[in-house]
Amino acid sequence: ILKADSIRFLTEFNLGFMFGHVEITDTTENISVFGDYAENNSKDSTSMVTGNALLVQQFDSDSLFLHGDTLFSEFDSLHHRLIRAYSHVKLYKQGLAGKCDSIVFSESDSLIKMFGDPVIWADGNQLTAEHIQIKHYDGKLQWLELNRKSFIVYESKPTHFNQISGKNMMNYFDDGKLKTINVFENGKTIYYATEESGAEIGVNQASADDLIILLDSNEIKKIKFYRNPVAKLTPLDQVDEKTLKLDGFKWRVTEQPKKPKDVFVW
């Protein structure tokens, strides 16, 4: 369904041009795209929207909001929709936010691929890498893959950052909660060890070629080390917190969208 202040349609070329308060709706996928200007090719069902472009996908109990300078919609060879956003991309939904230079949504496999300095905030964690791939179903995270220069940060308390780094990571979620992290190559961790009462007792610094990390409520419950493990627990009063940063650490919480309209803030 196409709506706008004015529409010009060239029947000979199956091209439509829309100006002002543009709205393109796919009722089968519950996706609406808004903007100031759009072009649509009715022959192959491709569209381009720019000018305050916004994509909204509705789920049963939530909605995903995505902004980019320009949004494209097209179909692959199996007639599955692909949605691309380029430049100044931000996304927001309850429990999930992200930022990158460009992004691709694939309807066929429910994958979101992020490129260009991507960062994801999910379940209180900040996840970064050169390339991020997200698997979701009905608006819920299933898994999140970090490729090259992978890094996860969680602020356990002000200025206290639990950190995980490695070449690549696979992160598995259960009901929106991060549960398992698989680190492949050059795995390193810094995390604050706590007693059952929650009191911090020291800082654990560990590394191995590969790691499997099990979490509960963002607390590290167990780490499995594979090949060349090294671990050291240092009492809190013997630690210089300013030096507790893995290579590549950067806390980017000021860039995080906190509500739908924040996707327009760069």
Side-chain angles (χ1 to χ4, degrees), residues 36-61:
D36 298 329
Y37 172 77
E39 297 176 2
N40 175 262
N41 186 324
S42 60
K43 185 175 182 179
D44 58 12
S45 295
T46 59
S47 301
M48 182 277 291
V49 180
T50 189
N52 297 303
L54 176 68
L55 178 147
V56 180
Q57 183 172 19
Q58 295 181 341
F59 303 103
D60 288 341
S61 59

Side-chain angles (χ1 to χ4, degrees), residues 99-102 114-119 129-131:
K99 176 183 178 182
C100 62
D101 180 68
S102 60
M114 303 175 66
F115 307 90
D117 194 25
V119 53
E130 289 188 3
H131 167 232

Side-chain angles (χ1 to χ4, degrees), residues 125-143:
N125 296 278
Q126 174 187 288
L127 304 97
T128 57
E130 289 188 3
H131 167 232
I132 295 178
Q133 187 166 248
I134 303 168
K135 175 72 172 183
H136 68 102
Y137 178 74
D138 195 26
K140 293 184 178 181
L141 278 174
Q142 304 297 310
W143 52 257

